[in-house]
Amino acid sequence: MVMAEGSDEEVLPVFPFLQRPLPRGSSPSGSRAGREAGSQAACPGAVVVDEENEWTEEPNILVLLCLEEFLFMVHNYKQETQGCTEGQKETLQSFVAHVMEKMPGKILALVVVGVDSYFDSLRTQSKKRLRPEAVNGDQAEEKGKRRKRKAKDSGPDVSRLDVEDALVDLLLQTNVQVRLAESPEELAEFVSMFTKAVAEAPYKRERENTGFSFCVENEGCRGVKVDRTGKGLLEVWKRQIQQFNRVSLDMAEAIVSAYPSPQLLVQAYSKCSSEEEQENMLANIVVRRGEGVTATTRRIGPELSRRIYLQMTSHDPDLCLDFTE
């Protein structure tokens, strides 16, 4: 936010993209005209403040589709897949294409509220219609006509499977995902999460730009604290063993239990009578997995034993442990 001169109030800067009109949605007839203003809402181009208090527009856009509009888009997609091409009716793909035409270079995400509730209400109405009623033939025929007219006016003929097909096709064709929320509270929570993720994205990208050609340790995996008495060194040694490719925690613990420090392992290598004995020295160490009746055992094996031996004794800094003969 920015402080207004001569005032304690905070004001937001005006950005041109906030004044851009959103594309119109489809009406039941398939046209874009006649829809009321406010049928769509968007969170376009989220703005992030950097360390120098400069405003930066991020490319992410979150568009809220009203339920009726979304269902008609799915219905129009269903008709297209069935070969019905009368008129140009709005589908999810055409809507996304129109938005991207108005806002090129943006990353679009859609959200709809109440889809599951809509289908739950349809199922409830269907159960009520199936209740036996004592009516004569003429009354039943007239009542059936009224139900058909009511069903036609209530909304498009789509099922959950139709919605899933349309969403999968949209994702495959445009790489745009649709979030289905079930309440205003869930929508508010998603918008909050979306905004937070966009705001933190620049910081995370900068953090990943380490300048190294390998993946360094992230914040979620903290280092081991070692005190003056040496407490913690065993854990450091175990994690060093785990840095070998295809080495699990159980395997590292088995090796560390047999040789609690690198120095003890090097001393054991020096007592071997041949290089072959050194390479296979760790091969028969037993690795135990699980507990009780589900417990299993295996051995370290000659391949890992040889890699650890090369790592501990080789003076070649360019030696590739996985491809040595």
Side-chain angles (χ1 to χ4, degrees):
M1 293 187 179
V2 180
M3 299 296 296
E5 295 184 2
S7 172
D8 294 335
E9 297 181 355
E10 294 179 335
V11 296
L12 288 172
V14 178
F15 296 95
F17 68 85
L18 292 176
Q19 300 175 351
R20 297 176 187 167
L22 287 173
R24 309 308 307 167
S26 63
S27 63
S29 61
S31 65
R32 291 178 179 169
R35 299 306 301 266
E36 297 181 357
S39 63
Q40 300 167 356
C43 178
V47 179
V48 177
V49 183
D50 59 19
E51 295 179 356
E52 299 178 357
N53 292 327
E54 294 182 358
W55 294 81
T56 303
E57 180 182 350
E58 292 294 317
N60 303 81
I61 302 176
L62 180 63
V63 178
L64 172 63
L65 288 175
C66 70
L67 178 61
E68 180 186 7
E69 186 174 50
F70 171 76
L71 293 174
F72 274 107
M73 289 183 185
V74 174
H75 176 69
N76 295 337
Y77 166 78
K78 177 183 177 181
Q79 288 186 323
E80 279 190 2
T81 58
Q82 293 175 350
C84 180
T85 57
E86 297 180 1
Q88 292 189 358
K89 298 182 179 180
E90 183 101 275
T91 63
L92 288 172
Q93 286 192 34
S94 63
F95 173 76
V96 168
H98 192 67
V99 173
M100 300 307 295
E101 180 183 354
K102 294 292 184 181
M103 301 179 180
K106 301 298 182 181
I107 302 174
L108 181 63
L110 306 179
V111 60
V112 186
V113 180
V115 174
D116 285 344
S117 299
Y118 170 78
F119 287 116
D120 290 341
S121 64
L122 289 183
R123 185 170 64 252
T124 302
Q125 294 175 7
S126 177
K127 290 181 179 179
K128 290 181 179 179
R129 290 197 295 267
L130 292 176
R131 292 176 181 175
E133 299 178 357
V135 294
N136 55 38
D138 294 337
Q139 290 176 333
E141 183 178 356
E142 181 63 25
K143 203 164 187 178
K145 292 180 179 179
R146 290 199 302 269
R147 286 171 179 170
K148 290 181 179 179
R149 289 195 298 268
K150 185 176 180 181
K152 184 177 180 180
D153 297 336
S154 61
D157 180 21
V158 295
S159 63
R160 292 180 186 268
L161 184 59
D162 296 330
V163 171
E164 292 178 2
D165 289 342
L167 295 184
V168 170
D169 185 71
L170 178 68
L171 179 61
L172 293 177
Q173 299 297 330
T174 65
N175 200 29
V176 172
Q177 295 188 358
V178 181
R179 174 64 179 262
L180 304 180
E182 285 310 308
S183 65
E185 293 78 13
E186 186 176 343
L187 171 63
E189 182 179 356
F190 175 69
V191 171
S192 176
M193 293 170 56
F194 184 89
T195 307
K196 181 180 179 181
V198 171
E200 292 179 347
Y203 165 72
K204 291 183 178 180
R205 287 195 295 265
E206 183 66 23
R207 186 181 60 185
E208 293 175 357
N209 186 19
T210 61
F212 297 107
S213 60
F214 54 88
C215 181
V216 297
E217 191 175 13
N218 59 24
E219 288 186 357
C221 184
R222 298 180 179 179
V224 179
K225 184 178 180 181
V226 180
D227 58 21
R228 294 182 178 180
T229 63
K231 183 179 180 181
L233 288 175
L234 189 65
E235 183 66 23
V236 173
W237 173 227
K238 182 169 62 178
R239 292 199 183 185
Q240 287 178 335
I241 296 295
Q242 284 185 268
Q243 289 181 357
F244 285 91
N245 193 20
R246 301 183 299 276
V247 174
S248 65
L249 176 61
D250 294 329
M251 298 169 71
E253 288 179 343
I255 296 173
V256 170
S257 297
Y259 301 95
S261 72
Q263 184 178 8
L264 293 176
L265 180 58
V266 172
Q267 290 176 356
Y269 282 136
S270 64
K271 296 178 181 179
C272 296
S273 58
S274 65
E275 184 176 3
E276 182 180 359
E277 184 181 353
Q278 291 174 327
E279 291 181 356
N280 294 306
M281 189 178 70
L282 306 179
N284 292 323
I285 294 179
V286 177
V287 180
R288 291 179 174 80
R289 296 177 178 177
E291 297 179 358
V293 295
T294 61
T296 59
T297 60
R298 56 159 295 183
R299 299 186 184 278
I300 292 295
E303 191 268 340
L304 177 57
S305 177
R306 186 169 185 270
R307 283 192 288 144
I308 295 177
Y309 162 72
L310 292 174
Q311 170 66 22
M312 300 299 297
T313 60
S314 176
H315 296 281
D316 182 4
D318 298 322
L319 179 65
C320 185
L321 300 178
D322 283 339
F323 298 98
T324 54
E325 296 295 339

